[in-house]
Amino acid sequence: MARVYNFSAGPAVLPEEVLKEAAAEMLDYNGTGMSVMEMSHRSKAYQQIIDDAEKDLRELMNIPDNYKVLFLQGGASQQFAMIPMNLMKNKKAAYIITGQWAKKAYQEAQKYGDAKAVASSADKTFSYIPDCSDLDIDDDTDYVYICENNTIYGTKYKELPNTKGKILVSDVSSCFLSEPVDVTKYGVIYGGVQKNIGPAGVVIVIIREDLITEDVLPGTPTMLQYKTHADNGSMYNTPPCYGIYICGKVFKWIKKQGGLEAMKERNEKKAKILYDFLDSSKLFKGTVVPKDRSLMNVPFVTGNEELDAKFVKEAKEAGFENLKGHRTVGGMRASIYNAMPIEGVEKLVEFMKKFEAENM
Ligand SMILES: *Cc1c(COP(=O)(O)O)cnc(C)c1O
């Protein structure tokens, strides 16, 4: 069995330990004689799995009691609609456009009310985070929306926007559990889990309790109301059982690594190896303004499309998978999520040095 170094942006690398544990439990979970996939979500064994997952996540992120944790379906993209449907009481929201995911959320919100783009970095291909210290936010704005780590463009907010007292809603899909966060600064934190936590399809929503109400936009389907899921412990209907079980294992794995402080330290160390090389290389260069660089997604280019393609091809042959940049931006991108070991990044940089020597 040969495992590759998988730099995919998502679905992405998971901790090997977690995959091995899941494999060992595939036919018989904890003496139940069945796989978690085959188990009733109303069983005692499954209730324990989802309860433990929530408890461990709360512990990891230090989530206050007045926030609910919901395990939902539909991926991150479903939240693009759920957020306005549930939160647009005045039908007004402010969006900060830092890339494709923020833009998609913004466009979706326009279906439900007056979604206003209050800042954008589109002028420089989303290579930076705009100044958000004094945004034009109306008094009756329901919330301010950000995409905190921009998976495609490789930028990350190092400081949260000044929302002028409005609720902050944040898509953290690609930086979930990569470093400590102060949950109290947000109204809603949500993310698809397939970047840093588990299998695609699960989305985790951490939402302040007072934002969960019956006062939603007319016609909002039952399944798209936060209240439905909050009132039923994320089990109004059959949840994505197996995905939640894997998320729970990843939470335990992160706890074992030392929690979010330790993840941050490790992630900074990994990213530094790659960024330091990019800053010193004569062939490769990073595409993001240094102060806004993501710890998770690192886009880079050679400046020559043919050479980029050659690099991606030769890297693949050498066991470094999924380094091709997003189809809309080209170049390369190395996603170095929590589960990417330091050796993976060190070996990638070694390979890049060799490629540079051969192609300069
Ligand atoms: C991948 C991604 C999404 C979309 O996730 P889906 O689960 O495919 O809907 C949304 N936002 C960000 C920041 C992402 O990285």
Side-chain angles (χ1 to χ4, degrees):
M1 180 199 70
R3 297 267 299 163
V4 296
Y5 287 115
N6 180 7
F7 293 92
S8 170
V13 58
L14 286 170
E16 211 167 284
E17 240 176 274
V18 166
L19 298 176
K20 281 182 178 155
E21 253 182 56
E25 292 171 353
M26 184 58 76
L27 297 181
D28 175 10
Y29 173 75
N30 204 12
T32 57
M34 58 180 95
S35 166
V36 173
M37 258 183 266
E38 303 170 300
M39 195 175 276
S40 164
H41 59 296
R42 308 284 176 203
S43 67
K44 233 176 166 169
Y46 192 75
Q47 190 64 51
Q48 188 73 49
I49 289 171
I50 192 167
D51 287 349
D52 281 355
E54 176 171 343
K55 182 171 128 299
D56 287 334
L57 181 63
R58 283 186 176 276
E59 211 176 300
L60 277 172
M61 291 180 72
N62 202 8
I63 301 173
D65 288 343
N66 65 324
Y67 284 75
K68 289 271 189 206
V69 173
L70 308 176
F71 294 96
L72 308 180
Q73 311 194 45
S77 301
Q78 183 142 292
Q79 294 306 308
F80 299 169
M82 258 178 105
I83 287 159
M85 285 174 145
N86 285 268
L87 302 184
M88 262 191 181
K89 318 285 181 198
N90 299 323
K91 297 210 168 194
K92 247 183 171 178
Y95 279 72
I96 300 170
I97 316 298
T98 51
Q100 229 183 82
W101 295 119
K103 196 169 153 194
K104 280 191 170 161
Y106 163 63
Q107 286 167 338
E108 187 72 9
Q110 285 172 335
K111 293 188 171 180
Y112 304 102
D114 176 14
K116 187 163 93 173
V118 291
S120 166
S121 51
D123 60 336
K124 290 183 180 153
T125 336
F126 302 116
S127 58
Y128 71 104
I129 298 289
D131 177 9
C132 299
S133 58
D134 186 19
L135 302 167
D136 181 17
I137 297 169
D138 296 334
D139 278 346
D140 55 349
T141 295
D142 293 304
Y143 60 87
V144 177
Y145 181 102
I146 62 169
C147 176
E148 201 159 329
N149 184 82
N150 295 281
T151 325
I152 296 172
Y153 300 94
T155 57
K156 159 106 207 288
Y157 285 80
K158 302 293 160 81
E159 207 180 309
L160 294 175
N162 174 2
T163 65
K164 304 194 170 165
K166 303 299 172 202
I167 296 157
L168 180 64
V169 175
S170 178
D171 175 357
V172 299
S173 295
S174 50
C175 60
F176 225 151
L177 303 180
S178 64
E179 55 185 285
V181 286
D182 181 355
V183 175
T184 64
K185 291 193 169 141
Y186 302 81
V188 180
I189 302 178
Y190 80 92
V193 304
Q194 74 272 28
K195 312 286 159 75
N196 220 1
I197 303 179
V202 182
V203 55
I204 297 175
V205 177
I206 300 161
I207 176 169
R208 218 173 62 205
E209 257 166 11
D210 60 291
L211 303 176
I212 305 171
T213 67
E214 270 160 11
D215 176 23
V216 297
L217 297 187
T220 301
T222 308
M223 275 292 286
L224 298 187
Q225 297 180 26
Y226 290 126
K227 194 165 190 315
T228 303
H229 300 285
D231 287 351
N232 291 282
S234 299
M235 295 233 243
Y236 169 72
N237 68 329
T238 319
C241 301
Y242 196 80
I244 294 168
Y245 152 79
I246 299 290
C247 292
K249 285 200 180 297
V250 172
F251 300 153
K252 287 201 191 305
W253 177 81
I254 296 174
K255 279 173 74 179
K256 217 161 92 184
Q257 309 297 304
L260 299 191
E261 285 292 348
M263 289 324 300
K264 178 178 189 216
E265 208 175 295
R266 235 178 78 157
N267 289 328
E268 282 177 343
K269 199 166 150 191
K270 280 188 307 193
K272 187 173 185 317
I273 296 170
L274 194 45
Y275 285 125
D276 280 354
F277 170 67
L278 290 172
D279 289 341
S280 69
S281 169
K282 289 196 174 64
L283 179 63
F284 297 102
K285 66 169 197 299
T287 56
V288 169
V289 168
K291 73 173 180 45
D292 299 327
R293 285 168 165 175
S294 165
L295 293 180
M296 299 278 98
N297 311 98
V298 183
F300 56 95
V301 294
T302 64
N304 172 331
E305 273 179 38
E306 269 168 45
L307 211 49
D308 286 351
K310 183 170 184 239
F311 175 79
V312 170
K313 179 171 171 283
E314 290 182 13
K316 185 180 168 69
E317 285 159 10
F320 305 98
E321 289 274 350
N322 293 314
L323 282 165
K324 196 164 187 285
H326 191 268
R327 58 196 150 80
T328 57
V329 291
M332 281 75 71
R333 172 180 50 174
S335 294
I336 49 176
Y337 296 120
N338 285 350
M340 171 59 65
I342 278 189
E343 309 85 73
V345 179
E346 287 170 344
K347 290 200 171 136
L348 173 65
V349 166
E350 253 171 63
F351 179 79
M352 289 167 79
K353 283 182 179 161
K354 182 170 149 274
F355 185 88
E356 176 168 329
E358 288 166 1
N359 290 278
M360 281 298 281

